[in-house]
Amino acid sequence: MRARVLLDTARLLRRRLARSTRVRLHGEIDAGNADRVAHLLTASLKHTKGPLDIDLTAVPRLSRSGTAAFVDTIRAARTTGVPVTVRNANPQVREALHDLGLERLLTFTDDTPAP
């Protein structure tokens, strides 16, 4: 009986460890809020055992100074071995991340259905 309880506990633990954390950001990300966004994202890293999924559906613009939030997050994620996915980034946001070379360190995905 004890082995069965341990096996069930191991399965539950594996499921918890496999879960990802999704953070949905809203509004422009610029110098005025980059520090708060960086704090939110890096704090999210501390509470996940799986991938960090950043949903940018509602982010219309990412300034060059706003990209600092992602640099800090990626640095922390790489240190802890947590993969980071950026979801639904519009072309301007992708270009801002690309200009810093961050696209090599991120996975991009898009939930928009194909026409």
Side-chain angles (χ1 to χ4, degrees), residues 34-114:
D35 287 343
R36 285 182 300 188
V37 172
H39 178 74
L40 170 72
L41 294 175
T42 54
S44 297
L45 282 172
K46 295 175 185 174
H47 300 289
T48 188
K49 300 295 184 206
L52 177 62
D53 188 333
I54 305 170
D55 189 338
L56 300 179
T57 302
V59 175
R61 184 174 171 277
L62 174 63
S63 73
R64 179 144 175 96
S65 55
T67 58
F70 292 88
V71 172
D72 295 344
T73 301
I74 291 168
R75 184 177 298 127
R78 290 179 62 85
T79 301
T80 58
V82 174
V84 178
T85 298
V86 171
R87 183 175 299 282
N88 303 320
N90 71 40
Q92 186 280 323
V93 171
R94 279 188 184 226
E95 184 176 338
L97 294 170
H98 171 78
D99 288 348
L100 289 181
L102 298 180
E103 83 284 356
R104 294 176 291 126
L105 305 173
L106 297 166
T107 300
F108 288 89
T109 188
D110 193 353
D111 291 339
T112 308

Side-chain angles (χ1 to χ4, degrees), residues 16 19 24-25 27 45 50 79 81:
R16 284 186 182 155
R19 288 190 181 149
R24 291 183 176 96
L25 300 177
L45 282 172
T79 301

Side-chain angles (χ1 to χ4, degrees), residues 4-23:
R4 174 115 175 112
V5 171
L6 289 175
L7 182 59
D8 289 342
T9 303
R11 285 185 186 139
L12 177 61
L13 180 61
R14 224 181 3 251
R15 270 190 244 123
R16 284 186 182 155
L17 293 177
R19 288 190 181 149
S20 65
T21 298
R22 181 174 290 183
V23 178

